[in-house]
Amino acid sequence: MAELAALDDPRTRKVNEKHGDDHGVNLGRLRALAKRLKTQAELARRLWATDDSAARPLAILICRPKAFGRDELDAMLRQARTPKVHDWLVNYVVKKHPHAEELRLSWSADPDPVVAGAGWALTAERVAKKPEGLDLAGLLDVIEAEMKDAPDRLQWAMNHCLAQIGIEHAEYRARAIDIGERLEVLKDYPTSPGCTSPFAPVWIAEIVRRRDDGTVA
């Protein structure tokens, strides 16, 4: 904790705060510290318990995902206070866990929109990598009905799922693009030069074009 405190930089804090993260540790330095510590499951638990917004990302980087129980991960997600911690927990820990599918189903139906967003993030992962058994048409129905008015974090995750359906499943591509064009979610989202817009119709078209050109897997 003393080492993390020493890495805190006011300029980095200002940048991080723009993204909802209330700490001043450069993520590159945080990753370097994690690389030095290597996997330490018990230390990860102790760092998480501090409730510190720099310690928790470090905990995620050095943890052993399968060391956590299903209920423990559920509690951790609900404790995650910042977008970075929330996203890293889902992407680096939950996606690798044996109970990922059970948590996906539970979280997707949760009344808390941030928790539900985690469920939709896991659904987007399944759409891309393991779609067998998913009702893709049903997912599009829900997205079409609910995404426009969903809170930000949930809306972002649903939009990601919409784009993944359009990218990975040609038979649903036209409908996914149509939904995106009508709802206009993230249409005006500021996008840096060289980056792909998160607006689903643009996102879908760009990734499909790159795949057709052989520039992306």
Side-chain angles (χ1 to χ4, degrees):
M1 292 302 294
E3 189 165 351
L4 282 173
L7 290 174
D8 193 277
D9 177 76
R11 291 171 298 181
T12 302
R13 178 178 292 274
K14 185 175 290 187
V15 172
N16 287 346
E17 285 176 346
K18 291 181 180 178
H19 302 287
D21 297 314
D22 55 348
H23 68 84
V25 181
N26 175 275
L27 294 182
R29 292 186 175 184
L30 195 70
R31 289 182 184 277
L33 178 56
K35 186 176 181 179
R36 195 186 83 220
L37 290 171
K38 300 181 181 179
T39 301
Q40 296 194 48
E42 183 53 38
L43 176 58
R45 278 197 169 90
R46 291 167 61 195
L47 286 168
W48 184 271
T50 65
D51 193 26
D52 181 84
S53 57
R56 282 187 165 176
L58 180 61
I60 291 168
L61 291 173
I62 67 169
C63 79
R64 184 177 293 108
K66 292 180 181 179
F68 297 114
R70 182 254 185 231
D71 292 343
E72 192 174 12
L73 284 180
D74 182 74
M76 290 170 70
L77 184 84
R78 296 172 193 279
Q79 293 163 2
R81 295 183 294 105
T82 65
K84 184 67 68 181
V85 171
H86 181 275
D87 291 344
W88 281 18
L89 182 65
V90 171
N91 287 297
Y92 297 165
V93 181
V94 181
K95 286 181 180 179
K96 301 176 182 179
H97 198 274
H99 291 291
E101 178 62 10
E102 183 183 343
L103 290 168
R104 181 187 76 83
L105 293 170
S106 173
W107 289 344
S108 295
D110 199 278
D112 183 334
V114 175
V115 176
W120 277 92
L122 293 172
T123 300
E125 174 84 355
R126 265 206 66 186
V127 165
K129 296 184 176 179
K130 195 178 179 181
E132 297 80 9
L134 286 179
D135 178 6
L136 297 178
L139 290 174
L140 289 175
D141 289 342
V142 175
I143 291 168
E144 186 172 18
E146 300 179 11
M147 182 173 73
K148 180 74 172 179
D149 298 318
D152 289 350
R153 300 296 304 275
L154 175 55
Q155 185 184 71
W156 186 275
M158 293 177 84
N159 183 72
H160 185 192
C161 189
L162 174 66
Q164 289 288 43
I165 292 173
I167 290 165
E168 302 293 343
H169 302 278
E171 66 273 29
Y172 293 104
R173 187 168 297 151
R175 186 181 174 201
I177 291 172
D178 177 66
I179 290 171
E181 288 176 342
R182 284 188 289 104
L183 299 186
E184 298 187 334
V185 168
L186 301 176
K187 183 176 181 178
D188 299 319
Y189 190 85
T191 305
S192 302
C195 296
T196 302
S197 169
F199 180 46
V202 173
W203 188 353
I204 293 166
E206 178 61 16
I207 300 302
V208 171
R209 181 193 66 78
R210 291 184 194 176
R211 288 185 176 178
D212 289 345
D213 292 345
T215 57
V216 67

